[in-house]
Coordinates of all heavy atoms in Angstrom, one line a residue:
G87 N -7.9 -74.6 -82.1 CA -7.6 -73.2 -82.6 C -8.9 -72.4 -82.4 O -8.7 -71.1 -82.2
L88 N -10.1 -72.9 -82.5 CA -11.3 -72.2 -82.2 C -11.5 -71.9 -80.7 O -12.0 -70.9 -80.3 CB -12.4 -72.8 -82.9 CG -12.3 -73.0 -84.4 CD1 -13.7 -73.6 -85.0 CD2 -12.1 -71.6 -85.1
T89 N -11.1 -72.9 -80.0 CA -11.2 -72.7 -78.5 C -10.3 -71.6 -78.1 O -10.6 -70.8 -77.2 CB -10.8 -74.0 -77.8 OG1 -11.7 -75.1 -78.1 CG2 -10.9 -73.8 -76.2
Q90 N -9.1 -71.4 -78.7 CA -8.2 -70.4 -78.4 C -8.8 -69.0 -78.7 O -8.6 -68.0 -77.9 CB -6.9 -70.5 -79.2 CG -6.1 -71.7 -78.7 CD -5.0 -72.1 -79.8 OE1 -5.0 -71.6 -80.9 NE2 -4.1 -73.0 -79.4
M91 N -9.6 -68.9 -79.8 CA -10.3 -67.7 -80.0 C -11.4 -67.3 -79.0 O -11.5 -66.2 -78.5 CB -10.9 -67.7 -81.5 CG -10.0 -67.9 -82.6 SD -10.8 -68.0 -84.1 CE -9.4 -68.5 -85.2
T92 N -12.1 -68.4 -78.6 CA -13.1 -68.2 -77.6 C -12.5 -67.7 -76.3 O -13.1 -66.9 -75.6 CB -13.9 -69.5 -77.4 OG1 -14.4 -70.0 -78.6 CG2 -15.1 -69.3 -76.4
N93 N -11.3 -68.2 -76.0 CA -10.7 -67.9 -74.8 C -9.8 -66.5 -74.9 O -9.2 -66.1 -73.9 CB -9.7 -69.0 -74.3 CG -10.4 -70.2 -73.9 OD1 -11.6 -70.2 -73.5 ND2 -9.8 -71.4 -73.9
Q94 N -9.9 -65.9 -76.1 CA -9.2 -64.7 -76.3 C -7.7 -64.9 -76.1 O -7.0 -64.0 -75.6 CB -9.7 -63.6 -75.5 CG -11.2 -63.2 -75.8 CD -11.8 -62.1 -75.0 OE1 -11.4 -62.0 -73.8 NE2 -12.7 -61.3 -75.5
Q95 N -7.2 -66.0 -76.4 CA -5.7 -66.3 -76.3 C -5.2 -67.0 -77.5 O -5.0 -68.3 -77.5 CB -5.5 -67.2 -75.0 CG -5.9 -66.5 -73.7 CD -5.7 -67.4 -72.5 OE1 -5.6 -68.6 -72.6 NE2 -5.7 -66.8 -71.3
I96 N -5.1 -66.3 -78.6 CA -4.7 -66.9 -79.9 C -3.2 -66.9 -80.0 O -2.5 -65.9 -79.9 CB -5.2 -66.1 -81.1 CG1 -6.8 -65.9 -80.9 CG2 -4.9 -66.8 -82.4 CD1 -7.4 -65.1 -82.0
P97 N -2.6 -68.1 -80.2 CA -1.1 -68.1 -80.4 C -0.8 -67.6 -81.9 O -1.7 -67.7 -82.7 CB -0.7 -69.6 -80.2 CG -2.0 -70.3 -80.5 CD -3.1 -69.4 -80.1
N98 N 0.4 -67.3 -82.1 CA 0.8 -66.9 -83.6 C 0.8 -67.9 -84.5 O 1.1 -67.7 -85.7 CB 2.1 -66.1 -83.5 CG 3.2 -66.8 -83.0 OD1 3.2 -68.1 -82.9 ND2 4.3 -66.1 -82.6
D99 N 0.7 -69.2 -84.1 CA 0.6 -70.3 -85.1 C -0.7 -71.0 -85.2 O -0.9 -72.2 -85.6 CB 1.7 -71.4 -84.7 CG 1.5 -72.0 -83.3 OD1 0.6 -71.5 -82.6 OD2 2.1 -73.0 -83.0
N100 N -1.8 -70.2 -84.9 CA -3.1 -70.8 -84.9 C -3.5 -71.1 -86.3 O -3.4 -70.3 -87.2 CB -4.1 -69.7 -84.4 CG -5.6 -70.2 -84.4 OD1 -6.2 -70.3 -85.4 ND2 -6.1 -70.4 -83.2
G101 N -3.9 -72.4 -86.6 CA -4.1 -72.8 -87.9 C -5.2 -72.2 -88.7 O -5.2 -71.9 -90.0
F102 N -6.3 -71.8 -88.0 CA -7.4 -71.2 -88.6 C -7.0 -69.8 -89.0 O -7.4 -69.3 -90.1 CB -8.6 -71.1 -87.7 CG -9.2 -72.5 -87.4 CD1 -8.7 -73.3 -86.3 CD2 -10.2 -73.1 -88.2 CE1 -9.3 -74.5 -86.0 CE2 -10.7 -74.3 -87.9 CZ -10.2 -75.0 -86.9
V103 N -6.2 -69.1 -88.2 CA -5.8 -67.7 -88.6 C -4.9 -67.8 -89.8 O -5.0 -67.0 -90.7 CB -5.1 -67.0 -87.4 CG1 -4.6 -65.7 -87.8 CG2 -6.1 -66.9 -86.2
N104 N -4.0 -68.7 -89.8 CA -3.1 -68.9 -90.9 C -3.8 -69.2 -92.2 O -3.5 -68.6 -93.2 CB -2.1 -70.2 -90.6 CG -1.2 -70.0 -89.5 OD1 -1.1 -68.9 -88.9 ND2 -0.5 -71.0 -89.1
S105 N -4.9 -70.0 -92.2 CA -5.6 -70.3 -93.4 C -6.4 -69.1 -93.8 O -6.5 -68.8 -95.0 CB -6.6 -71.5 -93.1 OG -5.9 -72.7 -92.8
L106 N -7.0 -68.3 -92.9 CA -7.7 -67.1 -93.3 C -6.8 -66.1 -94.0 O -7.1 -65.6 -95.1 CB -8.2 -66.4 -92.1 CG -9.2 -65.2 -92.2 CD1 -10.0 -65.0 -90.9 CD2 -8.5 -63.9 -92.6
W107 N -5.6 -65.9 -93.5 CA -4.6 -65.0 -94.1 C -4.2 -65.5 -95.5 O -4.2 -64.8 -96.5 CB -3.4 -65.0 -93.2 CG -2.2 -64.2 -93.7 CD1 -1.2 -64.6 -94.5 CD2 -1.9 -62.8 -93.3 NE1 -0.3 -63.6 -94.8 CE2 -0.6 -62.5 -94.1 CE3 -2.4 -61.9 -92.5 CZ2 0.0 -61.3 -93.9 CZ3 -1.8 -60.7 -92.4 CH2 -0.6 -60.3 -93.0
L108 N -3.9 -66.8 -95.5 CA -3.4 -67.5 -96.8 C -4.5 -67.3 -97.9 O -4.3 -66.9 -99.0 CB -3.1 -68.9 -96.6 CG -2.9 -69.8 -97.8 CD1 -1.6 -69.4 -98.5 CD2 -2.8 -71.3 -97.4
D109 N -5.7 -67.7 -97.5 CA -6.9 -67.6 -98.5 C -7.1 -66.2 -99.0 O -7.3 -65.9 -100.1 CB -8.1 -68.2 -97.9 CG -8.0 -69.7 -97.6 OD1 -7.1 -70.4 -98.1 OD2 -8.8 -70.2 -96.8
A110 N -7.0 -65.2 -98.1 CA -7.2 -63.8 -98.4 C -6.2 -63.4 -99.4 O -6.5 -62.7 -100.4 CB -7.2 -63.0 -97.1
Y111 N -4.9 -63.7 -99.2 CA -3.9 -63.3 -100.1 C -4.0 -64.0 -101.4 O -3.5 -63.5 -102.5 CB -2.5 -63.2 -99.5 CG -2.3 -61.9 -98.8 CD1 -2.4 -61.9 -97.4 CD2 -2.0 -60.8 -99.4 CE1 -2.2 -60.7 -96.7 CE2 -1.8 -59.5 -98.8 CZ -1.9 -59.5 -97.4 OH -1.8 -58.4 -96.7
Q112 N -4.5 -65.2 -101.5 CA -4.7 -65.9 -102.7 C -5.8 -65.2 -103.5 O -5.7 -65.1 -104.7 CB -5.0 -67.3 -102.5 CG -3.8 -68.1 -102.0 CD -4.1 -69.7 -101.8 OE1 -5.2 -70.0 -101.5 NE2 -3.1 -70.5 -101.9
V113 N -6.9 -64.8 -102.9 CA -7.9 -64.0 -103.6 C -7.3 -62.7 -104.1 O -7.6 -62.3 -105.2 CB -9.1 -63.7 -102.6 CG1 -10.1 -62.7 -103.2 CG2 -9.8 -65.0 -102.1
I114 N -6.5 -62.0 -103.3 CA -5.9 -60.8 -103.8 C -5.0 -61.0 -105.0 O -5.0 -60.3 -106.0 CB -5.2 -60.1 -102.6 CG1 -6.2 -59.6 -101.6 CG2 -4.2 -59.0 -103.1 CD1 -5.5 -59.2 -100.2
N115 N -4.2 -62.1 -104.9 CA -3.3 -62.4 -106.0 C -4.1 -62.7 -107.3 O -3.7 -62.3 -108.4 CB -2.4 -63.5 -105.6 CG -1.1 -63.5 -106.5 OD1 -0.4 -62.5 -106.6 ND2 -0.8 -64.6 -107.1
Q116 N -5.1 -63.5 -107.2 CA -5.9 -63.9 -108.4 C -6.6 -62.6 -108.9 O -6.7 -62.4 -110.1 CB -6.9 -65.0 -108.1 CG -6.1 -66.3 -108.0 CD -7.1 -67.5 -107.8 OE1 -7.7 -67.8 -106.7 NE2 -7.3 -68.2 -108.9
A117 N -7.1 -61.7 -108.1 CA -7.7 -60.5 -108.5 C -6.6 -59.7 -109.2 O -6.8 -59.0 -110.2 CB -8.2 -59.7 -107.3
N118 N -5.4 -59.7 -108.7 CA -4.3 -58.9 -109.3 C -3.9 -59.4 -110.7 O -3.7 -58.7 -111.6 CB -3.0 -59.0 -108.4 CG -3.2 -58.1 -107.2 OD1 -4.0 -57.2 -107.1 ND2 -2.3 -58.3 -106.2
N119 N -4.1 -60.8 -110.8 CA -3.8 -61.4 -112.1 C -4.9 -61.0 -113.1 O -4.5 -60.7 -114.3 CB -3.8 -62.9 -112.0 CG -2.4 -63.4 -111.7 OD1 -1.5 -63.5 -112.6 ND2 -2.0 -63.8 -110.5
V120 N -6.1 -60.9 -112.7 CA -7.2 -60.4 -113.6 C -6.9 -59.0 -114.0 O -7.0 -58.7 -115.2 CB -8.5 -60.6 -112.9 CG1 -9.6 -59.9 -113.7 CG2 -8.9 -62.0 -112.6
I121 N -6.6 -58.1 -113.0 CA -6.5 -56.7 -113.3 C -5.3 -56.5 -114.3 O -5.3 -55.7 -115.2 CB -6.3 -56.0 -112.1 CG1 -7.6 -56.0 -111.3 CG2 -6.0 -54.5 -112.3 CD1 -7.4 -55.6 -109.7
A122 N -4.2 -57.3 -114.1 CA -3.1 -57.2 -114.9 C -3.2 -57.6 -116.3 O -2.4 -57.3 -117.3 CB -1.8 -57.9 -114.3
N123 N -4.3 -58.3 -116.6 CA -4.6 -59.0 -117.9 C -5.8 -58.5 -118.6 O -6.4 -59.1 -119.4 CB -4.5 -60.4 -117.8 CG -3.2 -61.0 -117.6 OD1 -2.4 -61.3 -118.5 ND2 -2.8 -61.3 -116.4
L124 N -6.2 -57.3 -118.1 CA -7.5 -56.7 -118.7 C -7.4 -56.4 -120.2 O -8.4 -56.3 -120.9 CB -7.9 -55.4 -118.0 CG -8.4 -55.6 -116.6 CD1 -8.5 -54.3 -115.8 CD2 -9.7 -56.3 -116.5
D125 N -6.1 -56.2 -120.7 CA -6.0 -56.0 -122.1 C -6.4 -57.2 -123.0 O -6.6 -57.0 -124.2 CB -4.5 -55.7 -122.4 CG -3.6 -56.8 -122.1 OD1 -3.7 -57.4 -121.0 OD2 -2.7 -57.1 -122.9
K126 N -6.6 -58.3 -122.4 CA -7.0 -59.5 -123.1 C -8.5 -59.7 -123.1 O -9.0 -60.6 -123.8 CB -6.4 -60.8 -122.5 CG -4.9 -60.7 -122.6 CD -4.3 -61.9 -121.8 CE -2.8 -62.0 -121.9 NZ -2.2 -60.9 -121.2
V127 N -9.3 -58.8 -122.4 CA -10.7 -58.9 -122.3 C -11.4 -58.0 -123.4 O -11.0 -56.9 -123.7 CB -11.1 -58.5 -120.9 CG1 -12.6 -58.5 -120.7 CG2 -10.4 -59.3 -119.9
A128 N -12.5 -58.5 -123.9 CA -13.2 -57.7 -124.9 C -13.7 -56.4 -124.3 O -14.0 -56.4 -123.1 CB -14.4 -58.5 -125.4
A129 N -13.7 -55.4 -125.1 CA -14.0 -54.0 -124.7 C -15.4 -54.0 -123.9 O -15.5 -53.4 -122.9 CB -14.1 -53.1 -125.8
G130 N -16.3 -54.8 -124.4 CA -17.7 -54.7 -123.7 C -17.7 -55.5 -122.4 O -18.7 -55.2 -121.6
D131 N -16.7 -56.2 -122.1 CA -16.6 -56.9 -120.8 C -15.6 -56.4 -119.8 O -15.6 -56.8 -118.6 CB -16.3 -58.4 -121.0 CG -17.4 -59.2 -121.7 OD1 -18.6 -58.8 -121.5 OD2 -17.1 -60.1 -122.4
K132 N -14.7 -55.4 -120.3 CA -13.6 -55.0 -119.5 C -14.0 -54.4 -118.2 O -13.4 -54.7 -117.1 CB -12.7 -54.1 -120.4 CG -11.4 -53.8 -119.7 CD -10.5 -53.1 -120.7 CE -10.1 -54.0 -121.8 NZ -9.0 -53.3 -122.7

Side-chain angles (χ1 to χ4, degrees):
L88 300 182
T89 301
Q90 292 165 349
M91 294 177 191
T92 306
N93 294 337
Q94 299 178 327
Q95 296 179 345
I96 307 177
N98 57 17
D99 61 351
N100 181 287
F102 293 92
V103 176
N104 293 353
S105 293
L106 190 160
W107 176 281
L108 171 67
D109 294 344
Y111 274 103
Q112 287 181 335
V113 170
I114 289 167
N115 200 54
Q116 287 188 281
N118 288 342
N119 270 285
V120 170
I121 295 164
N123 287 278
L124 288 171
D125 61 315
K126 300 176 178 66
V127 179
D131 291 330
K132 190 170 294 186

